Amino acid sequence: MRPRHRHLLFLVAGAGVLGYLVWGMLDLSPFGRYPGPYGDIVNAVAFSERHVLNVVTAVIFDYRGFDTLGEEFILFACVTGVSLLLRHEGDEQGDRCSPKPRRESSLEQAIAPHASEASRSCAALYCGLILVFGVYIVLTGHLSVGGGFQGGVILASAWLLVLVAFGSPALHRFARKYAVEWFESAGAGAYVLIGLASLLFGQNFLTNILPLGEPGQLLSSGTILLINCGVGIEVSSGFILLLCEFGKPLQHQKPVR
Amino acid sequence: MNSFNTLQLVVFGLVGLAGTAVVLTRNPKRQIFVAGVYGLFQTVLFYLLHSPDVALSELAVTTVGLPILVLLTLARLEKVK
Amino acid sequence: MSYLPYCVAAWLFVIGLYGVVTSRHLVHLIVCLSVVQSSTYLLLLSIGFRDLPAQAPIFSDVPPGTPAVDPVVHALTLTDIVVSATVSALLLALVMDVQRRRGSVDPETLSPFRE
């Protein structure tokens, strides 16, 4: 079938799908009138049951903690898949991030060709601020807006700044592959170990077994804080690994046939 | 119309338009910037829908994470070709 | 008019699918796929929204009894966003592999029935 005919066929089918979707959505409650009981129940009991101020964090890491465990492993599997797919790229030694600076690679020219002193100075200044901000967002996930995911991506953006302003040799110097992989595995493993630890106390998997503390304090809400930190470490390490993989120097690339 | 305020209505329209613009921009190098703007509109919309957690996550991912990965991919695709 | 958010979500879904079907570059396809995924964020958050005086489900500076929007859909959307980003990264790595093996990133010429 020619592409034009295929596109016309899709326009017909797409209009049908759009109509069907809208027809189905007209049965939902109108916008702004959320009727369901589940959200109201969680809002009412989360503070007293978990001593947490951010109910969304309590839902993610406690009430629906098992779903977040699955999502952690999706992230882990995707980063592993990217590492596997791009293992032949880069230098001849395989997928080790080499610490030697490479002056003849062309990808650094593409990423930071003429990085000026101004951009390098600003990047050096902002990296520290971003790291502090990221740690703050991760740690206060249960107190205010924040959490492991948001803070993890913000932490990884400090390394992104290094990559963009200084090139990939500098990134490889600040992110040794074995260390970042270790941190990522530690973050994912910590989630599972915290869940298993509650089995030792005779509770269900991923029950909140630690003392809950005072609501509003940093050390409160039991295992939510620990899982938050674990997820923050894992997400940031995962994104740094993605940056390492995608930002590898490109050398002697020939297409595989 | 009584469930909206005007700002939410405007931002919903902007999100719809920006999503269409992302799809209709065929050149990937330009498309990723339009996608970044689309992510910003979504962030504002999520904030107006009283979900600051989701807005923060969307901001970090769509304006920082995704463009850098796409641009690195495009750079490699050009070098290999 | 009170169903406008759902219609915008459905429109984004279908227009993203249109982009996927008519794409001529695999990276363009991946970004259109992320548009499809973002329609689900919009749908989820619109379902859980409640009018004023409901506020965000974060009780840092208000007493914990104030009416708030649904926190469960926020959790689902957060998961969705992170998964979408990482799956896009995996797809981009696949695109690099396709370029290495087939020499082209145009879906029209990458049909398995050719060559």
Side-chain angles (χ1 to χ4, degrees):
Chain A
M1 190 185 269
R2 300 180 52 165
R4 192 160 193 84
H5 301 158
R6 202 169 353 113
H7 300 175
L8 281 175
L9 182 62
F10 177 79
L11 282 178
V12 174
V17 167
L18 184 63
Y20 196 60
L21 275 176
V22 171
W23 178 62
M25 286 174 190
L26 290 177
D27 277 338
L28 290 169
S29 58
F31 177 68
R33 295 194 189 87
Y34 168 67
Y38 192 32
D40 297 328
I41 293 174
V42 172
N43 274 329
V45 304
F47 178 79
S48 51
E49 280 186 4
R50 299 287 184 262
H51 290 197
V52 66
L53 297 179
N54 185 355
V55 183
V56 181
T57 305
V59 173
I60 291 178
F61 294 122
D62 197 318
Y63 291 112
R64 312 283 314 187
F66 198 63
D67 302 338
T68 313
L69 180 63
E71 182 228 326
E72 284 305 299
F73 283 125
I74 291 177
L75 195 132
F76 193 78
C78 282
V79 174
T80 309
V82 170
S83 300
L84 275 176
L85 280 170
L86 301 181
R87 70 189 180 280
H88 290 307
E89 316 259 326
D91 51 7
E92 290 84 30
Q93 281 91 23
D95 59 344
R96 292 275 165 255
C97 278
S98 168
K100 312 199 287 299
R102 308 191 155 266
R103 288 186 226 306
E104 62 274 16
S105 161
S106 54
L107 189 62
E108 287 111 59
Q109 301 302 317
I111 289 178
H114 307 291
S116 59
E117 277 305 310
S119 67
R120 291 179 188 212
S121 314
C122 284
L125 172 69
Y126 284 133
C127 278
L129 295 175
I130 290 175
L131 284 174
V132 169
F133 185 61
V135 169
Y136 159 73
I137 292 280
V138 170
L139 280 182
T140 60
H142 56 292
L143 297 177
S144 180
V145 178
F149 299 112
Q150 297 92 321
V153 181
I154 292 175
L155 281 173
S157 63
W159 272 266
L160 188 152
L161 208 55
V162 168
L163 174 67
V164 167
F166 295 97
S168 48
L171 176 69
H172 296 167
R173 199 171 300 140
F174 283 113
R176 297 301 166 93
K177 198 97 173 283
Y178 54 88
V180 182
E181 279 173 358
W182 193 91
F183 273 111
E184 196 205 2
S185 316
Y191 201 134
V192 180
L193 288 177
I194 292 172
L196 287 176
S198 52
L199 288 179
L200 293 176
F201 288 83
Q203 308 282 337
N204 293 324
F205 183 65
L206 280 178
T207 314
N208 203 342
I209 47 167
L210 292 180
L212 293 175
E214 281 283 323
Q217 300 289 322
L218 188 62
L219 290 176
S220 61
S221 71
T223 55
I224 291 180
L225 177 63
L226 289 181
I227 295 178
N228 217 1
C229 295
V231 164
I233 292 173
E234 201 222 334
V235 170
S236 60
S237 314
F239 269 92
I240 294 169
L241 271 179
L242 284 180
L243 286 176
C244 267
E245 293 292 339
F246 277 82
K248 271 184 193 159
L250 189 68
Q251 282 198 357
H252 312 301
Q253 198 70 21
K254 47 185 189 304
V256 172
R257 288 297 174 141
Chain B
M1 286 288 283
N2 50 1
S3 293
F4 282 103
N5 46 11
T6 321
L7 192 57
Q8 279 178 346
L9 189 60
V10 168
V11 179
F12 268 117
L14 280 177
V15 163
L17 284 175
T20 316
V22 170
V23 168
L24 295 179
T25 312
R26 295 285 168 175
N27 189 1
K29 267 190 238 160
R30 289 192 202 139
Q31 187 196 26
I32 198 60
F33 292 104
V34 185
V37 171
Y38 173 62
L40 278 176
F41 286 156
Q42 271 192 305
T43 306
V44 172
L45 180 62
F46 294 164
Y47 180 71
L48 290 175
L49 290 178
H50 298 315
S51 47
D53 273 341
V54 181
L56 187 55
S57 176
E58 166 80 18
L59 184 67
V61 163
T62 310
T63 52
V64 169
L66 195 65
I68 188 68
L69 294 177
V70 168
L71 287 173
L72 284 173
T73 309
L74 288 173
R76 293 184 85 88
L77 290 178
E78 276 188 12
K79 298 299 180 200
V80 170
K81 203 177 287 190
Chain C
M1 211 21 103
S2 51
Y3 291 96
L4 179 72
Y6 308 138
C7 297
V8 172
W11 167 253
L12 285 174
F13 187 83
V14 174
I15 197 73
L17 275 183
Y18 170 76
V20 169
V21 164
T22 61
S23 171
R24 295 300 303 259
H25 196 287
L26 280 177
V27 177
H28 170 268
L29 195 151
I30 291 171
V31 180
C32 290
L33 195 64
S34 79
V35 170
V36 176
Q37 287 173 307
S38 70
S39 77
T40 57
Y41 315 152
L42 199 57
L43 181 64
L44 279 172
L45 289 177
S46 305
I47 289 177
F49 182 69
R50 187 176 269 157
D51 279 334
L52 290 173
Q55 53 131 36
I58 296 170
F59 303 113
S60 323
D61 44 356
V62 291
T66 54
V69 298
D70 180 21
V72 179
V73 289
H74 292 359
L76 296 174
T77 312
L78 266 175
T79 305
D80 202 350
I81 289 177
V82 173
V83 164
S84 153
T86 45
V87 167
S88 299
L90 187 62
L91 289 174
L92 287 169
L94 273 174
V95 168
M96 286 200 245
D97 211 31
V98 164
Q99 164 80 346
R100 220 159 48 91
R101 288 179 189 278
R102 300 286 288 268
S104 149
V105 286
D106 189 348
E108 300 287 339
T109 63
L110 281 173
S111 166
F113 299 114
R114 288 176 211 265
E115 79 173 345

